[in-house]
Amino acid sequence: RIIYDWPSPWSGLAPAPYGLTKAQALLGHTITVFCGKWPRAGAVEQITGVKIYSFYREFARGFMLLTTAPIMTLRFLLWRLFNKVDIYHVHGQFGLYFYIYKIVFGFLDKTPVVAHVHICFKARTLQMQKDAKKVSRLAKYIDWPMSEFAQFLSTKVASAFVFVSDNVKNEFMSLYKVAPEKCYVVESGVDSSLFKEPSTEEKVNFRKVLNVSES
């Protein structure tokens, strides 16, 4: 599993593959995770049955694909020489160089790839242009184009795609002409071992704090 975030802490939508990893480990699967981590966040959370290789998520904001991602991929390639894999699950644009590896060496490494898509970068770029939104030069010329390129490459190697919503799936299918039978929507869930439904008293207190009526 290649994922750009891992607790603690985390940001964005990385809790989805984290929760999936925990669930698969409980079923007895052995999983190796190559992940980003935040500087000064302390040790990454360990899960029984899961081997974690972590790397500083970003040495500088917006430069993940120019720093952490290639370093992670080099470490992955070294690990791959001595390990057998059943399936690759790649989350987001962090897999840019992994996709290049699969395009070049796919004739040798036939392990299937699942691409996990939490946002369609090309659709976001087009919407920002349509709305005439101001975008930083870093995002406009480095971060977003590289992220778009990563998703384009994923369409060349992935056997299946997991989307966090129907909207993201429809955008991706429309822009990249991906076959519908390859596309699955798995919305972000809730770990019921950590989160419980609030009591009636808690609900009342929440409404008071948020100034929301009961209707």
Side-chain angles (χ1 to χ4, degrees):
R1 179 157 289 133
I2 295 175
I3 172 176
Y4 63 79
D5 244 0
W6 191 265
S8 59
W10 51 26
S11 68
L13 293 173
Y18 163 76
L20 179 60
T21 301
K22 288 184 66 176
Q24 289 175 322
L26 287 173
L27 292 173
H29 296 286
T30 301
I31 304 159
T32 302
V33 175
F34 291 83
C35 61
K37 64 169 295 218
W38 291 101
R40 300 186 298 277
V44 295
E45 181 177 329
Q46 301 294 323
I47 300 174
T48 301
V50 179
K51 176 65 177 179
I52 299 174
Y53 295 93
S54 63
F55 309 83
Y56 279 151
R57 188 179 186 275
E58 289 179 307
F59 294 93
R61 184 174 178 82
F63 284 92
M64 180 179 71
L65 294 180
L66 290 174
T67 54
T68 307
I71 292 172
M72 177 279 297
T73 306
L74 289 174
R75 182 64 183 89
F76 157 78
L77 291 174
L78 177 62
W79 173 87
R80 184 65 180 88
L81 288 174
F82 305 98
N83 293 272
K84 185 177 179 180
V85 186
D86 297 314
I87 191 168
Y88 295 119
H89 177 200
V90 185
H91 185 261
Q93 70 276 31
F94 197 36
L96 169 60
Y97 302 96
F98 165 81
Y99 292 137
I100 295 174
Y101 153 75
K102 278 291 289 182
I103 288 174
V104 175
F105 295 103
F107 69 99
L108 292 174
D109 185 353
K110 298 186 180 299
T111 309
V113 177
V114 174
H116 199 133
V117 183
H118 65 278
I119 186 173
C120 181
F121 287 99
K122 188 172 183 179
R124 180 172 67 174
T125 299
L126 293 173
Q127 188 62 50
M128 294 290 281
Q129 293 172 343
K130 180 180 178 181
D131 296 340
K133 296 286 187 179
K134 185 177 181 179
V135 180
S136 70
R137 290 188 176 183
L138 176 62
K140 184 176 182 180
Y141 296 110
I142 297 178
D143 194 18
W144 288 8
M146 293 186 73
S147 297
E148 285 185 38
F149 185 53
Q151 290 193 328
F152 166 74
L153 293 181
S154 74
T155 65
K156 305 302 180 182
V157 300
S159 299
F161 296 85
V162 173
F163 301 92
V164 299
S165 69
D166 284 312
N167 183 58
V168 175
K169 183 190 76 169
N170 293 335
E171 288 178 337
F172 199 89
M173 289 176 58
S174 173
L175 291 169
Y176 292 109
K177 311 304 178 185
V178 178
E181 58 268 21
K182 288 186 175 183
C183 300
Y184 304 86
V185 174
V186 180
E187 297 181 351
S188 298
V190 175
D191 186 344
S192 59
S193 67
L194 293 176
F195 301 97
K196 306 295 182 182
E197 184 178 359
S199 65
T200 301
E201 182 180 355
E202 288 174 323
K203 291 179 180 179
V204 172
N205 291 333
F206 289 152
R207 291 192 181 99
K208 289 180 180 179
V209 170
L210 299 173
N211 194 27
V212 176
S213 65
E214 294 188 20
S215 58

